[in-house]
Amino acid sequence: MNAPDRYERFVVPEGTKKVSYERDTKIINAASFTIEREDHTVGNILRMQLHRDPNVLFAGYKLPHPLQYKIIVRIHTTSQSSPMQAYNQAINDLDKELDHLKNAFETEMAKHSREY
Amino acid sequence: MDGGMSYQRFPKVKIREVKDDIMKFELRETDASLANALRRVMIAEVPTIAIDLVEIEVNSSVLNDEFIAHRLGLIPLTSERAMSMRFSRDCDACDGDGQCEFCSVEFHLRAKCLTDQTLDVTSKDLYSSDHTVVPVDFSDPNEPGEQRGIIIVKLRRGQELRLRAIARKGIGKDHAKWSPAATVTFMYEPMIRINEDLMESMSLEDKRSWIESSPTKVFEMDPITQQLKWHLKLEVQVVGSRLTGEEGREDASYWLSLFRDVPMLPVKVVAEPESYTYDDEVIKKAEAMGKSGLVEIEAKEDSFIFTVESTGAIKATQLVLNAIEVLKQKLDAVRLSDDTVEADDQFGELGAHMRGG
Ligand SMILES: [Zn+2]
């Protein structure tokens, strides 16, 4: 009866930003990114990629509530970097990793179809 | 701002087997978060086409209208087109009506039973307006005459079903009928080490009962002195050296040649490491036998074995490639917008100002 519409899970409502950024008021080089209509799929790969960055002191994500269709990614970096820089870097690296994966997969497919 | 630093990984892929709707492959040199993201996207976010709207003209069957509409929705339709098609909600050609050629495919079904023989109404009775989007054909190419459509309803004499259906693009997150995945799973590749000295200290009887303690067939007795029987993949551990076999090698003399210069004899072979279910039974058994440390088993944290099975809507290989593409699009969507960055730059200057900078 009062269940939210199914599309609410993946359609960003009009007038809402996909990603919003909020600096921490007390800690320098710490910030939270609120990502609308995303879940563990994006949250977890971002977090793990951020952990590969030695300038990242803390990176974590949470899904505040299963019926609030958003995640919050929190990043704290050293003064050598910034949360925004680390965030962009993580996305770029994941994007390049996926490009590499796509090529590797296609190469394997071609090899496989030639062999069999 | 970009320091030119990169912490990118370069994953490796090895395909083990491919058929149209099922495939197995190894993914290495990445981590569980990416393996899991790919699995989740394959199940819930790779788009397909499925029936979404049904207008019933006549239905005198035993099933009610919504029951039939639900069954129609679950029929997999060939969806190679889906990636380039529009979602009805984003379609500007039909003002959200969701019935134009860019965002929908129309189907018609007419069936009436005129004999005393029960009539099966199947997915083969659905007529599509687009020859690229049709119900998946499960018929066996070896048995051409056989009818293998998906049964929608059965009609007796005098009963009739007549309807118009609209199929649309969608994702599994919206409704499972749009999921192209029958199953997508991955497992960690196990790394099995056997302490040869301890193994040699055991009697043949003890070795047998230890092998038997595993609920799945992971270990096998000495193949050198007995008949050789090789499985898909095997790792042979000999005192300090390690030999890893390739798939498909069933040639016993090839294997024996590998052992020629190795100081060995009775060697324990891990027959099928991947049948290990991380149940710890062999480890407990070794302890119970007073042979702790006989075997060490660890899950390699950067190696995964994927099994992908599709519903037939798209090929299994295409499902993986589409998942990579969709994940890339998702990442692209979460990039910071320019106005967010600008707003923060101003905030930063203001902050520096206030701090007396
Ligand atoms: Zn349209």
Side-chain angles (χ1 to χ4, degrees):
Chain A
M1 280 273 275
N2 59 352
D5 287 319
R6 293 193 315 249
Y7 67 81
E8 289 283 343
R9 300 216 287 166
F10 50 88
V11 180
V12 182
E14 220 147 313
T16 312
K17 277 173 98 173
K18 179 79 181 173
V19 189
S20 47
Y21 167 89
E22 200 184 334
R23 276 189 191 222
D24 191 289
T25 50
K26 294 189 182 74
I27 305 165
I28 195 134
N29 279 322
S32 295
F33 299 79
T34 303
I35 309 177
E36 283 293 337
R37 269 60 196 181
E38 290 297 344
D39 57 20
H40 301 287
T41 305
V42 163
N44 200 31
I45 50 172
L46 268 183
R47 173 182 72 118
M48 294 312 286
Q49 186 65 41
L50 284 160
H51 287 172
R52 290 174 65 79
D53 184 341
N55 287 318
V56 170
L57 300 172
F58 175 87
Y61 83 98
K62 67 176 172 184
L63 191 100
H65 189 279
L67 291 175
Q68 282 174 17
Y69 306 110
K70 64 178 180 191
I71 53 169
I72 297 162
V73 180
R74 195 177 146 75
I75 306 172
H76 182 192
T77 69
T78 63
S79 56
Q80 308 304 115
S81 183
S82 73
M84 252 191 208
Q85 192 185 328
Y87 181 87
N88 290 332
Q89 180 74 54
I91 291 174
N92 289 339
D93 287 344
L94 282 168
D95 193 55
K96 282 187 281 174
E97 177 172 351
L98 287 168
D99 280 334
H100 178 87
L101 180 62
K102 186 167 180 264
N103 286 329
F105 194 86
E106 279 170 344
T107 309
E108 261 293 293
M109 267 169 64
K111 216 165 86 189
H112 217 263
S113 57
R114 243 185 292 119
E115 280 171 20
Y116 302 94
Chain B
M1 192 148 155
D2 190 345
M5 212 64 93
S6 177
Y7 311 107
Q8 190 202 336
R9 275 174 306 219
F10 298 90
K12 303 222 171 359
V13 177
K14 188 155 181 260
I15 294 177
R16 284 192 178 172
E17 53 174 296
V18 194
K19 283 187 211 129
D20 274 358
D21 50 15
I22 191 160
M23 82 174 300
K24 269 190 171 206
F25 66 96
E26 297 161 14
L27 176 66
R28 292 175 203 281
E29 293 176 44
T30 187
D31 76 348
S33 70
L34 193 92
N36 196 41
L38 282 174
R39 182 190 66 85
R40 287 173 62 98
V41 170
M42 282 189 244
I43 292 169
E45 297 191 66
V46 169
T48 67
I49 301 160
I51 290 175
D52 196 32
L53 182 88
V54 181
E55 278 173 9
I56 307 245
E57 288 165 39
V58 179
N59 174 20
S60 51
S61 77
V62 293
L63 301 186
N64 62 47
D65 294 1
E66 31 281 273
F67 201 121
I68 288 171
H70 179 244
R71 289 182 69 74
L72 289 168
L74 295 173
I75 294 169
L77 307 174
T78 52
S79 304
E80 279 80 33
R81 249 192 80 191
M83 285 295 274
S84 57
M85 205 169 145
R86 294 182 192 167
F87 285 109
S88 287
R89 68 182 127 83
D90 303 330
C91 182
D92 44 25
C94 59
D95 303 323
D97 185 38
Q99 304 208 13
C100 77
E101 57 180 311
F102 299 106
C103 70
S104 72
V105 179
E106 193 174 329
F107 287 83
H108 285 273
L109 184 149
R110 314 173 145 258
K112 185 167 187 178
C113 180
L114 300 166
T115 64
D116 281 330
Q117 171 96 50
T118 307
L119 178 73
D120 289 353
V121 182
T122 72
S123 55
K124 298 211 162 163
D125 296 309
L126 278 167
Y127 288 94
S128 173
S129 63
D130 180 342
H131 70 278
T132 65
V133 182
V134 293
V136 173
D137 185 7
F138 289 103
S139 58
D140 189 344
N142 300 317
E143 286 178 67
E146 203 196 1
Q147 158 85 16
R148 284 262 207 121
I150 298 165
I151 292 194
I152 297 162
V153 65
K154 292 183 178 186
L155 302 179
R156 65 169 288 174
R157 191 194 255 292
Q159 292 178 340
E160 188 181 6
L161 182 63
R162 219 158 67 210
L163 58 87
R164 185 180 88 104
I166 297 293
R168 298 192 177 115
K169 174 180 174 173
I171 57 173
K173 229 181 192 185
D174 189 346
H175 190 290
K177 70 182 175 187
W178 276 299
S179 176
T183 47
V184 182
T185 62
F186 67 84
M187 69 172 287
Y188 291 97
E189 186 177 37
M191 179 70 197
I192 303 177
R193 274 192 216 90
I194 291 171
N195 184 320
E196 286 302 324
D197 293 339
L198 269 177
M199 185 59 76
E200 282 329 296
S201 71
M202 285 162 72
S203 70
L204 198 63
E205 199 79 338
D206 280 355
K207 285 184 193 171
R208 281 229 172 81
S209 79
W210 178 73
I211 289 170
E212 292 299 308
S213 74
S214 178
T216 52
K217 199 168 188 257
V218 182
F219 302 96
E220 213 170 57
M221 274 305 281
D222 178 16
I224 303 298
T225 51
Q226 295 162 35
Q227 224 189 344
L228 285 155
K229 205 176 94 215
W230 301 101
H231 291 264
L232 184 67
K233 169 155 184 159
L234 81 189
E235 290 194 21
V236 186
Q237 314 264 339
V238 189
V239 217
S241 55
R242 182 180 143 223
L243 305 166
T244 303
E246 289 167 48
E247 293 100 307
R249 283 279 185 185
E250 286 183 56
D251 171 8
S253 60
Y254 166 80
W255 285 102
L256 286 171
S257 72
L258 288 178
F259 292 99
R260 198 156 293 145
D261 305 321
V262 183
M264 51 160 296
L265 261 177
V267 178
K268 180 66 63 199
V269 171
V270 180
E272 222 158 351
E274 282 154 31
S275 58
Y276 185 59
T277 59
Y278 296 95
D279 47 59
D280 275 2
E281 289 298 325
V282 285
I283 293 162
K284 284 184 211 153
K285 178 71 177 174
E287 274 168 24
M289 293 170 95
K291 303 279 178 191
S292 315
L294 177 67
V295 66
E296 272 175 51
I297 308 178
E298 60 175 308
K300 286 198 210 163
E301 285 189 14
D302 66 344
S303 270
F304 311 94
I305 300 149
F306 270 82
T307 306
V308 175
E309 192 180 346
S310 106
T311 58
I314 48 175
K315 285 184 177 169
T317 48
Q318 199 59 49
L319 175 51
V320 178
L321 286 170
N322 288 358
I324 297 171
E325 194 53 45
V326 170
L327 194 51
K328 270 174 65 71
Q329 289 166 5
K330 284 171 74 71
L331 281 169
D332 210 45
V334 303
R335 284 178 193 280
L336 288 164
S337 58
D338 290 340
D339 57 325
T340 308
V341 179
E342 264 169 46
D344 185 62
D345 283 347
Q346 282 162 15
F347 181 91
E349 277 163 30
L350 186 73
H353 198 73
M354 277 157 57
R355 268 178 260 120

